[in-house]
Amino acid sequence: KLAEKRIKANTLLAKIIHDIELTENDMFNYYQIHKSRYTGEVMEYRVQRILLSGTAMADSVSSMINSGEITFAEAARRYSQERTRETDGFAGYQTEEEMGPVIWNVLSNLSQWRFARVSVSNGIYLIRYTDTRERIMERPFTEVMEEVKEEMLKERRSEEIAKFMEDLTERSEIIINR
């Protein structure tokens, strides 16, 4: 009899749990409210770069830097074709997402202060990093959607079971002494 009661109770609880539906909108709202739960450490590089027009210019500037004729910062001020020349080529701390996988792969395989060439759509970068740091950042919803779904389902299951038990207790006129 006890086993039969347990089977019936488990079947009823399974039905209650199975009927829970979550929309993507529900999950996104939950994520917005609980963003602080969804963080992760992200590596950032302090990037210094020089944008040059072509291979010949990149060869020339690289040669001057390597020979000690000018520093990387001086080369950025003199030759870079982007606004970072105003800050000695410094583009700030950047994550992989901000700089893209091609540049990220180059920097992550470089030694600090060493530079490399990276071809981009508008020229060639001479690029290096001068520092690294880890920063706690919120992870995007698309990355944590499954985690959000699991947490919400767990909460909703608990809520539904508690509601069911409360309703059952009221209908059965059961008194629970705690």
Side-chain angles (χ1 to χ4, degrees):
K1 284 244 182 224
L2 183 59
E4 187 180 318
K5 287 180 183 179
R6 283 189 178 157
I7 290 170
K8 286 180 180 178
N10 286 338
T11 302
L12 186 56
L13 289 175
K15 182 185 177 343
I16 292 169
I17 289 170
H18 182 268
D19 290 343
I20 296 172
E21 291 183 21
L22 298 175
T23 66
E24 191 169 314
N25 196 39
D26 292 335
M27 291 186 287
F28 184 73
N29 289 335
Y30 184 91
Y31 166 79
Q32 291 291 81
I33 293 168
H34 301 95
K35 266 187 180 178
S36 62
R37 292 183 188 175
Y38 306 103
T39 59
E41 285 189 359
V42 176
M43 175 65 79
E44 294 181 309
Y45 286 92
R46 185 171 184 234
V47 176
Q48 192 176 22
R49 65 189 187 204
I50 304 167
L51 179 63
L52 302 165
S53 59
T55 305
M57 189 63 152
D59 289 343
S60 175
V61 174
S62 293
S63 178
M64 287 188 280
I65 295 169
N66 284 331
S67 70
E69 188 178 326
I70 60 175
T71 66
F72 197 92
E74 289 172 317
R77 281 193 306 273
R78 285 188 203 170
Y79 301 108
S80 187
Q81 296 179 358
E82 64 180 351
R83 296 190 80 160
T84 56
R85 70 180 167 275
E86 297 166 7
T87 58
D88 293 345
F90 285 101
Y93 281 92
Q94 297 181 357
T95 64
E96 178 178 8
E97 188 175 320
E98 292 166 332
M99 66 178 83
V102 172
I103 294 174
W104 178 266
N105 288 336
V106 170
L107 283 181
S108 61
N109 288 307
L110 276 178
S111 297
Q112 186 177 15
W113 301 102
R114 296 281 185 198
F115 70 93
R117 266 180 222 216
V118 179
S119 292
V120 292
S121 61
N122 56 340
I124 296 175
Y125 275 130
L126 299 184
I127 191 163
R128 71 180 186 175
Y129 73 92
T130 60
D131 195 19
T132 61
R133 68 181 181 192
E134 287 187 354
R135 184 174 77 175
I136 303 289
M137 289 182 65
E138 292 173 354
R139 292 164 45 211
F141 175 67
T142 53
E143 185 180 306
V144 297
M145 193 161 60
E146 284 303 312
E147 289 176 55
V148 169
K149 183 177 182 178
E150 288 303 314
E151 280 189 39
M152 283 188 73
L153 282 172
K154 188 176 177 182
E155 284 183 20
R156 293 262 176 98
R157 286 175 184 145
S158 294
E159 290 168 5
E160 291 298 319
I161 290 170
K163 227 187 311 181
F164 173 75
M165 294 303 288
E166 187 177 308
D167 183 50
L168 189 61
T169 303
E170 284 179 15
R171 283 189 293 146
S172 303
E173 298 178 11
I174 297 172
I175 298 171
I176 300 174
N177 295 320
R178 293 179 190 202

